[in-house]
């Protein structure tokens, strides 16, 4: 086997760091392409997999990396060889792993065309955040013009995609961030109001912005103590969608909160939109078109060489990042 460099976690650890190691280069299977990776993104899901707290099962050792960009250099059975040599972005298969490496094999259905005007670095920052935001708003919810949407972690990559796509749909967006330094970017990209949670009560701000009615939809990636308080910002029959626990595992009486104003709560996983399905292809077309037209952008907050993977994770865990953390391979 031919060796390549990859970011590997041998076993889950709360304190361990990802390691750059030599591993076997993958061979594309049937329906797959082999991507020579130019850039890969670092995501919060990588932190969870490293620590052993990712919601879905993970087989260790694991190569981290949920999304990447690069050039197709080989194809498996059933895939046209015309794809060889084409630049592309990709989600890294049904386990969303393997992108932080020199090569990754991914199913054709997980490829995402590079939007017009995007560099390969831009393309690596784009797929997961854009498609997560799209399917949250249109598949898990059904966004309507005039709705008010509360987005936590609005300066992160998914948060910024949500701000832009919700505003494009005609919704009013209230974002929350963890520090004053992160307020400007969500506001520039379409948030009507951005709340610094360290200085202002986001529930009071949401109620103030809606004349005490409450928001129609809240999207929470934080969990912890933020999640139960987010119910207090919802209108009667409003909806909360949880997509993560970056602030810790929440512990509260869920049923009681639901009954307070007949609200509802859902979880979300983007791959449940089924890559390759008509619904998935429609989402890909929509986000690529919006990005090509300059209406959707995922800013790169940190661009680092692959060798600095530990520093990239420290930046994510320290909540010092805005936009996407991208690694040059």
């Amino acid at each position: 086997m031919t060796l390549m460099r990859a970011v590997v976690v041998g076993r889950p650890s709360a304190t361990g760091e990802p390691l750059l190691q030599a591993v076997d280069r993958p061979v594309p299977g049937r329906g797959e392409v082999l991507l020579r990776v130019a850039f890969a993104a670092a995501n919060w899901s990588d932190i969870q997999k490293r620590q052993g707290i990712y919601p879905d099962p993970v087989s260790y050792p694991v190569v981290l990396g949920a999304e990447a960009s690069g050039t197709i250099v080989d194809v498996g059975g059933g895939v046209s060889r015309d794809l060889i040599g084409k630049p592309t972005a990709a989600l890294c298969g049904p386990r969303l792993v393997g992108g932080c490496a020199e090569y990754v094999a991914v199913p054709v259905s997980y490829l995402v065309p590079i939007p017009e005007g995007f560099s390969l670095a831009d393309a690596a920052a784009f797929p997961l955040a854009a498609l997560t935001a799209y399917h949250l708003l249109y598949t898990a919810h059904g966004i309507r013009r005039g709705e008010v949407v509360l987005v936590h972690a609005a300066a992160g990559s998914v948060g910024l995609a949500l701000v832009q796509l919700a505003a494009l749909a005609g919704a009013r967006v209230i974002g929350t961030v963890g520090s004053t330094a992160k307020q400007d970017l969500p506001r520039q990209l379409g948030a009507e109001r951005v709340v610094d949670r360290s200085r202002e009560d986001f529930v009071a701000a949401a109620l103030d912005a809606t004349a005490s009615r409450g928001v129609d939809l809240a999207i929470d990636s934080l969990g912890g103590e933020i999640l139960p308080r987010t119910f207090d910002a919802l209108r009667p029959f409003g909806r909360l969608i949880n997509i993560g626990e970056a602030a810790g595992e929440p512990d509260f009486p869920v049923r009681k909160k639901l009954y307070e104003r007949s609200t509802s709560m859902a979880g979300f996983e983007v791959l449940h939109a089924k890559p390759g399905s008509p619904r998935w292809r429609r989402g890909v077309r929509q986000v690529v078109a919006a990005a090509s037209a300059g209406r959707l952008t995922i800013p790169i907050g940190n661009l680092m060489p692959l060798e600095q993977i530990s520093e990239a994770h420290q930046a994510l865990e320290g909540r010092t990042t805005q936009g996407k953390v991208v690694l040059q391979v």
Side-chain angles (χ1 to χ4, degrees), residues 56-279:
D56 296 333
V58 177
S59 298
Y60 296 90
V62 64
V63 176
L64 298 181
E67 57 192 329
S69 67
T71 303
I72 297 171
V73 294
D74 197 5
V75 299
V79 180
S80 171
R81 294 189 64 82
D82 290 344
L83 290 177
I84 293 176
K86 291 188 178 296
T88 189
L91 295 177
C92 296
R95 294 173 58 221
L96 292 179
V97 295
C100 288
E102 291 178 317
Y103 294 86
V104 61
V106 298
V108 171
S109 57
Y110 286 72
L111 300 180
V112 178
I114 297 177
E116 184 177 345
F118 272 41
S119 67
L120 281 174
D122 295 330
F126 176 74
L128 187 58
L131 288 167
T132 295
Y134 173 88
H135 287 293
L136 272 167
L137 295 173
Y138 287 96
T139 301
H141 177 67
I143 188 75
R144 293 184 295 273
R145 179 172 293 277
E147 285 190 323
V148 184
V149 181
L150 175 67
V151 178
H152 286 310
S157 58
V158 173
L160 290 170
L162 283 164
V163 166
Q164 294 170 84
L165 291 178
L168 284 173
R172 298 170 56 204
V173 183
I174 302 169
T176 82
V177 295
S179 67
T180 302
K182 296 184 178 184
Q183 286 183 301
D184 287 345
L185 192 53
R187 190 179 294 117
Q188 292 168 9
L189 294 178
E192 175 182 302
R193 185 167 181 173
V194 182
V195 179
D196 172 7
R197 295 187 309 274
S198 70
R199 300 168 62 91
E200 185 179 2
D201 178 43
F202 73 85
V203 174
L207 295 176
D208 177 65
T210 58
S212 300
R213 174 178 176 270
V215 303
D216 299 282
L217 172 67
I219 299 176
D220 167 60
S221 59
L222 299 175
E225 297 179 357
I226 302 296
L227 181 59
R229 293 218 63 230
T230 302
F231 280 96
D232 300 334
L234 291 174
R235 65 163 172 80
F237 302 103
R239 192 169 196 213
L240 188 158
I241 305 177
N242 174 254
I243 60 171
E245 296 80 34
E249 190 73 24
D251 182 14
F252 67 101
V254 179
R255 185 173 179 274
K256 179 181 178 181
K257 295 302 294 186
L258 294 173
Y259 273 78
E260 286 179 355
R261 278 185 308 286
S262 296
T263 53
S264 63
M265 176 181 171
F268 176 82
E269 162 56 59
V270 66
L271 295 185
H272 290 159
K274 296 185 177 179
S277 69
R279 170 186 290 159

